[in-house]
Amino acid sequence: MTSPMQRALALARDALGTTSPNPTVGAVLVMDGQVVGEGVTQPPPGPHAEVVALRQAGERARGATLYVTLEPCSHHGRTPPCTQSLIEKGVAQVHMAVLDPNPLVAGKGQATLEEAGVGAFLGEGAEQAQQLYEAHARYITTGLPLVVAKFAMSLDGKIATATGHSQWITGEETRHHSNRLRGVYDAILVGIETALADDPLLTYRDSSGTPHKRQPLRVVVDSTGRMPPTAKLLAQPGKTLVATARIPPEQQALLERAGAEVVALPGEDGRVDLHALLRLLGQREVTSVIVEGGSTLLGALFDQRLVDKVMAFVAPIIVGGGQAPTPVGGVGIHHMAEALALQRVTVERIGDDLLVIGYCPKA
């Protein structure tokens, strides 16, 4: 039988990507061993998960126990504080998986509940909840989005053949999994070489191939303004941002007429300033970015230590070819001792492919 906290975590997990910039929270109210209310955070400016569960429970909330994936808020934001609602409705105990890293909360919610005589307990489901809120934690404490480098490669580390053919390296299950990831993140980031070579749609689609209503922001890093106004991604639902260092005015006008927003973020090296791009995305309340290539962009992000997490799909195939491209370009390192060693590494199987997940150490 699923525990109330596991049910709350499942509710939050299923709704990931729908509540940004708010964290996605799951809540379950239990009275005498029976679930009397449950909820998940609604898209802004909708109510938080605790309030949804309280409304469903009604009078049955009095004396009940709440299981919630994140510490209830204790401050006025887009909505009133959830702690006050819990106290007013007479909830007896609150079991929270993790504290909210938001400096406006960060333990204050737990303290407020305890001061009101509500039992407040911490830690059940903490490891799963920390994974749910890794983007929220990064964004709320730094103002920057979580940057996830995602790529698929063969067992010998190739992303295409020497002739540039790349469809398909991984199996169908992995491709479906990759598509679902687009529904979780606020933005998809690609380099201009990928945009030109693949002419991708960069959309989040259902099983029939139809784009979902909510689409992540598409971001193309195009330092010299080579993005064609006929690119397929410009005709898709959702928004596209083209980040450039320099672009002819007539080319910018064509892209804007095709529906793109063009932003100039020149760096000292004549290319897009990636630090500035991430700051801009953070200012626009983009809490997470998944980078889907190519090797030049990934290399630059790794060289500048801007990647937070890696998701590498490895297919059991051998491509070969000395000129066949690899997933990460850039300057790289000179000595193996300088290699970026991922932490908290996990490996899972998706069909015949492997998914390796790891986190980049922070200075």
Side-chain angles (χ1 to χ4, degrees), residues 303 305 330-340:
D303 285 343
R305 294 296 190 262
V331 177
I333 60 170
H334 297 290
H335 303 284
M336 277 299 175
E338 301 169 344
L340 185 65

Side-chain angles (χ1 to χ4, degrees), residues 191-215:
I192 184 60
E193 297 297 343
T194 295
L196 293 174
D198 298 343
D199 197 15
L201 302 179
L202 298 185
T203 51
Y204 170 42
R205 303 174 299 278
D206 63 21
S207 57
S208 68
T210 303
H212 286 274
K213 182 178 180 180
R214 179 194 176 274
Q215 291 292 324

Side-chain angles (χ1 to χ4, degrees), residues 13 23 67 69 117 128 177 283 341 354:
R13 196 176 296 114
Y67 294 84
T69 55
Q128 296 172 69
H177 184 86
Q283 290 164 6
L354 296 179

Side-chain angles (χ1 to χ4, degrees), residues 150-151 189-192 194-195 290-298 327:
K150 180 183 80 71
F151 51 85
L189 181 63
V190 298
I192 184 60
T194 295
I290 189 162
V291 187
E292 296 195 358
S295 64
T296 300
L297 176 59
L298 282 170

Side-chain angles (χ1 to χ4, degrees), residues 56-248:
Q56 188 179 110
E59 287 302 315
R60 294 177 296 174
R62 191 162 300 278
T65 297
L66 176 72
Y67 294 84
V68 63
T69 55
L70 186 69
E71 176 187 18
C73 63
S74 55
H75 68 291
H76 282 270
R78 288 183 172 90
T79 63
C82 292
T83 51
Q84 193 59 40
S85 298
L86 294 168
I87 293 166
E88 290 175 355
K89 294 298 183 180
V91 171
Q93 293 185 0
V94 175
H95 292 256
M96 58 198 84
V98 291
L99 295 179
D100 191 335
N102 186 341
L104 295 175
V105 188
K108 297 182 183 70
Q110 183 181 20
T112 298
L113 292 170
E114 291 174 338
E115 289 167 5
V118 178
F121 305 92
L122 179 69
E124 183 183 351
E127 184 174 350
Q128 296 172 69
Q130 284 168 352
Q131 293 177 354
L132 280 175
Y133 301 122
E134 59 189 17
H136 170 62
R138 175 68 173 162
Y139 170 73
I140 206 68
T141 58
T142 67
L144 299 172
L146 181 83
V147 178
V148 180
K150 180 183 80 71
F151 51 85
M153 65 181 186
S154 64
L155 199 59
D156 57 336
K158 308 296 185 181
I159 60 172
T161 66
T163 62
H165 189 261
S166 61
Q167 295 183 341
W168 296 101
I169 290 177
T170 54
E172 187 173 356
E173 288 183 56
T174 292
R175 297 198 296 276
H176 286 315
H177 184 86
S178 295
N179 176 61
R180 288 194 297 271
L181 287 174
R182 290 179 174 178
V184 173
Y185 292 90
D186 291 345
I188 305 173
L189 181 63
V190 298
I192 184 60
E193 297 297 343
T194 295
L196 293 174
D198 298 343
D199 197 15
L201 302 179
L202 298 185
T203 51
Y204 170 42
R205 303 174 299 278
D206 63 21
S207 57
S208 68
T210 303
H212 286 274
K213 182 178 180 180
R214 179 194 176 274
Q215 291 292 324
L217 173 68
R218 295 180 291 272
V219 183
V220 181
V221 176
D222 178 14
S223 293
T224 57
R226 292 185 289 153
M227 181 79 174
T230 55
K232 291 178 182 176
L233 61 86
L234 294 176
Q236 303 308 307
K239 297 180 179 180
T240 300
L241 173 70
V242 177
T244 186
R246 59 190 185 280
I247 184 172

Side-chain angles (χ1 to χ4, degrees), residues 289-336:
V289 176
I290 189 162
V291 187
E292 296 195 358
S295 64
T296 300
L297 176 59
L298 282 170
L301 288 166
F302 278 112
D303 285 343
Q304 297 175 47
R305 294 296 190 262
L306 295 177
V307 176
D308 299 301
K309 180 179 180 180
V310 175
M311 301 184 74
F313 296 89
V314 184
I317 61 173
I318 304 297
V319 173
Q323 301 304 311
T326 58
V328 181
V331 177
I333 60 170
H334 297 290
H335 303 284
M336 277 299 175

